[in-house]
Amino acid sequence: MMKYCSLLLSVLVLFSCSDDEPTAGCFQDEGRRIVTIVNNINGTVIFNGDCGYLIDPDERLDRNPTSVLFPCNLEIEFEVDGLKVNFSGFIYESFEFEDICADFFEITDIEIVPDVQ
């Protein structure tokens, strides 16, 4: 019986640790779901007085209606207006009744793009 319980517990642990779905870290208290995952996109950090620091992608992203991103977890070292970055992350849904200045975004990876002259 003990071997059976150990085997069952091992199987449950193995299947519960799957990385198939992205793990969200922002906007859970607002009930938002991830609508798009972006990987290795270049963009520019911009400062908007009403919204704070945003990321303006160099290319149009799927499910990004405002064309700019509001990162919930932009580290202070990246809060530089005009900074060129390469980033990955999750775009979250917005609700029809909201008046937003940027799409909700969570950074999973970001780095400064070297200035090539």
Side-chain angles (χ1 to χ4, degrees):
M1 180 68 164
M2 187 65 150
K3 289 182 183 180
Y4 176 73
C5 288
S6 292
L7 179 63
L8 181 60
L9 183 59
S10 297
V11 169
L12 288 174
V13 168
L14 180 65
F15 284 108
S16 66
C17 296
S18 173
D19 286 335
D20 293 343
E21 292 294 317
T23 304
C26 296
F27 306 114
Q28 276 59 55
D29 57 336
E30 300 171 16
R32 298 183 192 281
R33 63 184 177 81
I34 296 170
V35 294
T36 299
I37 300 172
V38 296
N39 291 302
N40 296 316
I41 303 295
N42 286 333
T44 305
V45 175
I46 58 174
F47 181 74
N48 177 306
D50 295 330
C51 298
Y53 285 95
L54 308 174
I55 298 176
D56 185 8
D58 288 353
E59 61 188 76
R60 182 80 172 136
L61 304 175
D62 185 38
R63 305 287 302 261
N64 174 227
T66 66
S67 299
V68 291
L69 303 168
F70 172 70
C72 63
N73 58 342
L74 184 66
E75 295 177 8
I76 196 162
E77 67 194 73
F78 294 97
E79 292 182 354
V80 178
D81 192 35
L83 182 68
K84 300 290 185 184
V85 293
N86 180 275
F87 63 94
S88 299
F90 308 135
I91 298 176
Y92 287 83
E93 71 181 331
S94 57
F95 304 121
E96 290 181 25
F97 59 85
E98 295 178 302
D99 182 20
I100 60 173
C101 58
D103 295 306
F104 299 101
F105 185 68
E106 177 181 356
I107 297 166
T108 57
D109 188 41
I110 188 168
E111 59 185 29
I112 296 172
V113 174
D115 187 21
V116 179
Q117 303 230 359

